[in-house]
Amino acid sequence: MANIKVDGQLIDVPDYYTLMQAAEAAGAEIPRFCYHERLSVAGNCRMCLVEVKGGPPKPQASCAMSVKDLRPGPNGEPPEMFTNTPMVKKAREGVMEFLLINHPLDCPICDQGGECDLQDQAMAYGVDKNRYHENKRAVEDKHLGPLVKTAMNRCIHCTRCVRFTTEVAGISEMGLLGRGEDAEITSYLERALSSELQGNVIDLCPVGALTSKPYAFHARPWELSKTESIDVMDAVGSNIRVDARGREVMRILPRVNDAINEEWISDKTRFIWDGLKSQRLDRPYVRVNGKLKPASWDEAFGAIAKAVKASAGGNRLGAIAGDLAAVEDMFALKGLMRALGSGMTDCRPPMSGIDPSMPRAAYVFNPTIAGIEEADAILIIGANPRKEAAVLNARIRKAWRQKGTPIAVIGDKADLTYPVEYLGNGFDALTDLVEGKGKFADVLAKAQKPLIIVGEGAVSHGVALTKQIGRDTIALAAKLATGPAVAEGWTGYALLHNAAARVGGIDIGFVPGKGGVCSLDQLGLARKDELDVLFLLGADEYDLDYTGKTFIVYIGTHGDKGAHKADVILPGATYTEKSGTYVNTEGRVQMAERATFPPGDAKEDWAIFRALSAVLGVALPYDSLSQLRAKLYGEFPHLAALDQIAPAKLDDIRALAKAPIKTKIATYSSTVADFYLTNPIARASAVMGECAALSAGLKQAAE
């Protein structure tokens, strides 16, 4: 620790603190444009100038000077800095005047208006007149793709966007060309950006040079109602803010949560909002003479009741939950199925090796997302984190940048934005590591905090193979995570899910019950006409072309695959239209809040099951969401502990490692083929469709 005086106030701060951090610790406000706490220091805007006593007779950039750089007084007095002297005030006014020399007066038409750092700081630190009357320079706007809109006349060359794309996103596609007044920020050969995190430059830009292209000219920030919620586009559970006007979501922004997403979100999370209103199901439908026709809720429930009554009941009734289902919705559907005597429920991917009898540590990301930074060796099995969890992938890159953490991959050979040692894509590569063969085996053996990331592509293998491959992969991964050198208290086994509903569904037991079978086997029974009624709770990621004569009830939000095959469609609510609980891949319980209301006659999914249960004569024992949650928390108390993670038991991981291995040959690959089109909301989004087409074009050009 070091002593420093800030505006006469003596404080203790770590000696590696910058003067800006020391000033903020003392409660002094320092304006800035180029500085950002998660990016490297550039020191090129000069707005953060302060006066240092005993230093050079000129103001100093507080972001680029640390406390240990200051000298004590002649008698050993602590160093002293000032943030509000006449010298500092005049310097800041001069800097602001320079910044505004070429900045156009675009405020009336700029989307950054109302939340612009330049506006705010010009008011707080600028002057009322400008002494420059020369013509302003003009810069041609750049094409960065369908997501980021450019107005480069407004750029002040803070280089935040360049540093973010290079350091965090891991793409070297932006830079600064030219010198002096000819300098300009541009992309490489003016091509579209290829990162799944590129939308974050919109938040980073302190002026209106980079704004959201899909949101352009749609709304002003003061018109929007703001709701803090949770993202469900992947299993990371990024914290977001949903901005809506009336019944329409206008944009989605990140919230700061250092334990999960820091302050970044993926492009799918940010730009998915146009899909929330496209191709929506807003009324029930019933198939009559082979065609779906609009119906009332009573008619739809009557058709379902007729099908259930005609069924033999019990395990002739099945239910599959999709990737976006909330815990409350699955809990209600599970209650309905059990009341009807069926154990046919599942929320896992096809042929998953995740056994419900396994301890919870077997299917969560035990080291936590923030814990990635502590790992001293990382092995990725059957996953592509860049596509499956872009924000988590940025955390892995951060660990590599900060500590040079060695990383190896078994599975798809892909550009993950950081260097990796590719070990192959077969089961034999994993067994070689366990047997101590190869250089990376030595790295893992010596690692005190090894991190073994197992993707869904490693534990679920579709139709042709069995669940045993997934179980054997889990066992070998657990063995690698519990090596002899592992530090006390470290649990390095981590299962990376790619669906927001997965962990919560397994937690509440939305898995096969007595006599029940998994999701893929249910569809197999349907093909053989051995399943009478099948409920699909937003389950669209399955091949439903061959379901025989099975009566399909689809509860969902969009006219996607499940709706096309359904005999009855019941319109539900999206994650922005209901209050729902989600458990992310690390086992953290979070709550998504309602920002708008469902369109037309659509209802919250749990309410649909409650109403249907009464029609079927097995009324569920709750009438409101609060009553449902009371039942839910009574059965599963850990779901009431919001934003908490139950610590994993290392003994549970060791027990997994003892399972006998039966697999001889298998291959691993990611389950996500297209980052932009992974769920019904994404497939309904025109913006995501444009991004997918651009991504496919860039990939083809690279090949």
Side-chain angles (χ1 to χ4, degrees):
M1 301 292 284
N3 292 333
I4 183 173
K5 271 190 175 182
V6 180
D7 296 332
Q9 178 185 351
L10 182 65
I11 61 171
D12 288 337
V13 295
D15 62 358
Y16 58 81
Y17 263 31
T18 63
L19 299 187
M20 178 183 290
Q21 291 173 309
E24 290 180 341
E29 182 178 344
I30 303 289
R32 82 291 300 267
F33 289 113
C34 70
Y35 176 81
H36 191 278
E37 56 269 20
R38 302 190 196 277
L39 304 176
S40 61
V41 174
N44 54 9
C45 79
R46 318 310 285 181
M47 195 65 201
C48 64
L49 296 173
V50 296
E51 182 180 349
V52 177
K53 185 176 181 180
K58 61 179 182 179
Q60 301 293 309
S62 62
C63 70
M65 180 176 281
S66 65
V67 173
K68 63 185 175 184
D69 294 331
L70 301 185
R71 291 176 298 175
N75 299 315
E77 301 94 338
E80 193 166 357
M81 62 179 283
F82 302 94
T83 66
N84 53 11
T85 61
M87 177 199 286
V88 173
K89 184 175 184 296
K90 184 177 180 181
R92 289 175 181 170
E93 289 174 353
V95 170
M96 182 59 67
E97 195 170 0
F98 275 121
L99 287 174
L100 295 177
I101 289 175
N102 284 310
H103 197 82
L105 189 58
D106 279 351
C107 298
I109 61 164
C110 178
D111 271 326
Q112 198 83 345
E115 48 192 10
C116 174
D117 290 350
L118 189 63
Q119 281 182 339
D120 297 340
Q121 294 186 37
M123 286 292 294
Y125 303 102
V127 291
D128 60 346
K129 294 180 181 177
N130 193 325
R131 291 171 287 177
Y132 294 89
H133 302 287
E134 290 79 11
N135 291 332
K136 295 180 182 292
R137 71 170 191 159
V139 182
E140 185 178 347
D141 292 341
K142 314 301 178 187
H143 172 68
L144 299 182
L147 303 179
V148 181
K149 180 176 181 286
T150 61
M152 302 313 289
N153 286 336
R154 305 169 188 161
C155 180
I156 62 171
H157 301 160
C158 71
T159 68
R160 280 186 179 182
C161 55
V162 177
R163 284 175 285 147
F164 172 81
T165 54
T166 304
E167 297 167 10
V168 179
I171 57 167
S172 299
E173 296 177 1
M174 290 191 74
L176 187 141
L177 297 179
R179 299 183 69 185
E181 71 170 9
D182 295 324
E184 55 185 270
I185 300 290
T186 183
S187 62
Y188 178 67
L189 297 181
E190 298 201 14
R191 290 177 59 185
L193 300 181
S194 62
S195 172
E196 296 80 12
L197 298 169
Q198 62 181 278
N200 291 289
V201 301
I202 297 167
D203 299 329
L204 289 172
C205 185
V207 294
L210 303 176
T211 54
S212 171
K213 189 173 283 188
Y215 172 73
F217 311 125
H218 274 59
R220 288 293 197 181
W222 53 83
E223 300 176 318
L224 306 175
S225 61
K226 301 167 179 63
T227 306
E228 295 186 349
S229 190
I230 300 300
D231 171 54
V232 300
M233 293 298 108
D234 53 33
V236 174
S238 298
N239 286 207
I240 59 173
R241 192 186 83 194
V242 180
D243 289 1
R245 184 173 61 191
R247 298 176 69 96
E248 186 176 351
V249 174
M250 304 302 295
R251 66 177 180 178
I252 294 173
L253 300 176
R255 285 190 292 129
V256 177
N257 189 325
D258 287 332
I260 304 174
N261 59 304
E262 297 183 296
E263 58 186 273
W264 320 124
I265 54 174
S266 72
D267 293 340
K268 187 163 51 175
T269 300
R270 183 185 298 271
F271 297 105
I272 200 75
W273 51 268
D274 70 313
L276 293 169
K277 57 187 176 183
S278 301
Q279 301 180 27
R280 285 300 301 271
L281 300 172
D282 59 357
R283 67 181 70 180
Y285 289 84
V286 175
R287 192 175 295 277
V288 179
N289 297 325
K291 293 185 178 181
L292 288 169
K293 295 186 177 180
S296 66
W297 280 100
D298 288 341
E299 290 171 336
F301 284 165
I304 297 170
K306 182 179 178 182
V308 172
K309 187 176 181 180
S311 164
N315 284 336
R316 301 280 296 191
L317 310 174
I320 302 174
D323 293 351
L324 308 182
V327 169
E328 290 86 351
D329 305 331
M330 291 184 282
F331 184 72
L333 179 54
K334 177 190 172 186
L336 175 61
M337 296 303 291
R338 297 299 186 263
L340 294 172
S342 174
M344 294 283 231
T345 52
D346 202 8
C347 65
R348 300 168 299 169
M351 301 304 288
S352 173
I354 302 172
D355 193 323
S357 64
M358 291 178 175
R360 193 171 191 253
Y363 61 85
V364 296
F365 203 95
N366 294 291
T368 73
I369 295 171
I372 291 173
E373 297 178 32
E374 298 180 38
D376 52 11
I378 300 175
L379 173 66
I380 302 171
I381 307 170
N384 183 337
R386 183 172 178 180
K387 289 184 178 181
E388 298 176 28
V391 173
L392 185 144
N393 191 62
R395 191 78 81 143
I396 299 175
R397 175 176 167 79
K398 183 179 179 182
W400 167 75
R401 287 189 70 245
Q402 289 183 341
K403 303 194 306 180
T405 305
I407 306 169
V409 170
I410 299 176
D412 294 334
K413 193 172 186 178
D415 177 12
L416 299 179
T417 72
Y418 40 81
V420 301
E421 181 180 343
Y422 184 66
L423 304 177
N425 68 345
F427 189 81
D428 56 331
L430 182 56
T431 55
D432 285 348
L433 281 180
V434 174
E435 293 170 3
K437 298 177 183 177
K439 293 181 180 178
F440 201 78
D442 296 334
V443 173
L444 287 176
K446 297 174 184 176
Q448 293 186 324
K449 293 187 176 181
L451 172 57
I452 315 300
I453 300 177
V454 182
E456 285 196 350
V459 298
S460 56
H461 288 265
V463 182
L465 302 171
T466 68
K467 303 172 187 177
Q468 188 61 43
I469 297 171
R471 291 169 185 166
D472 289 348
T473 301
I474 290 173
L476 293 180
K479 190 171 293 187
L480 290 173
T482 54
V486 174
E488 185 68 28
W490 175 257
T491 308
Y493 171 86
L495 191 66
L496 177 60
H497 294 277
N498 53 41
R502 200 83 74 218
V503 176
I506 300 173
D507 273 356
I508 65 167
F510 200 90
V511 290
K514 186 177 181 180
V517 296
C518 73
S519 55
L520 201 63
D521 286 341
Q522 287 188 44
L523 295 177
L525 293 175
R527 293 188 185 98
K528 295 184 289 186
D529 293 330
E530 295 178 11
L531 197 68
D532 297 330
V533 180
L534 177 61
F535 292 89
L536 299 177
L537 177 53
D540 297 277
E541 314 308 320
Y542 294 87
D543 182 5
L544 302 172
D545 290 338
Y546 307 100
T547 50
K549 298 178 182 178
T550 301
F551 189 88
I552 296 178
V553 180
Y554 179 76
I555 307 94
T557 59
H558 289 73
D560 209 76
K561 299 176 185 176
H564 293 166
K565 296 296 294 182
D567 295 288
V568 172
I569 295 175
L570 304 177
T574 65
Y575 70 106
T576 61
E577 298 162 357
K578 63 185 177 185
S579 176
T581 302
Y582 291 89
V583 186
N584 77 348
T585 192
E586 57 183 352
R588 186 186 303 270
V589 183
Q590 299 185 103
M591 191 79 73
E593 298 294 347
R594 172 190 285 155
T596 59
F597 288 88
D601 293 333
K603 301 182 185 301
E604 295 181 34
D605 303 53
W606 73 265
I608 294 174
F609 297 127
R610 171 61 184 85
L612 178 60
S613 69
V615 174
L616 296 177
V618 288
L620 296 173
Y622 38 79
D623 298 312
S624 66
L625 184 58
S626 59
Q627 291 177 356
L628 183 154
R629 283 181 175 155
K631 289 280 186 184
L632 176 67
Y633 299 156
E635 288 190 42
F636 309 100
H638 74 280
L639 294 176
L642 293 180
D643 204 34
Q644 301 294 317
I645 299 178
K649 297 177 181 177
L650 193 58
D651 288 343
D652 289 341
I653 306 300
R654 291 195 177 106
L656 291 173
K658 295 177 181 177
I661 307 301
K662 301 177 182 178
T663 303
K664 300 297 182 184
I665 300 174
T667 57
Y668 299 120
S669 63
S670 172
T671 56
V672 176
D674 193 326
F675 168 77
Y676 297 102
L677 303 176
T678 55
N679 59 63
I681 303 176
R683 288 189 284 269
S685 166
V687 176
M688 291 296 100
E690 191 175 352
C691 289
L694 177 62
S695 177
L698 291 174
K699 183 178 179 181
Q700 188 174 6
E703 293 173 350

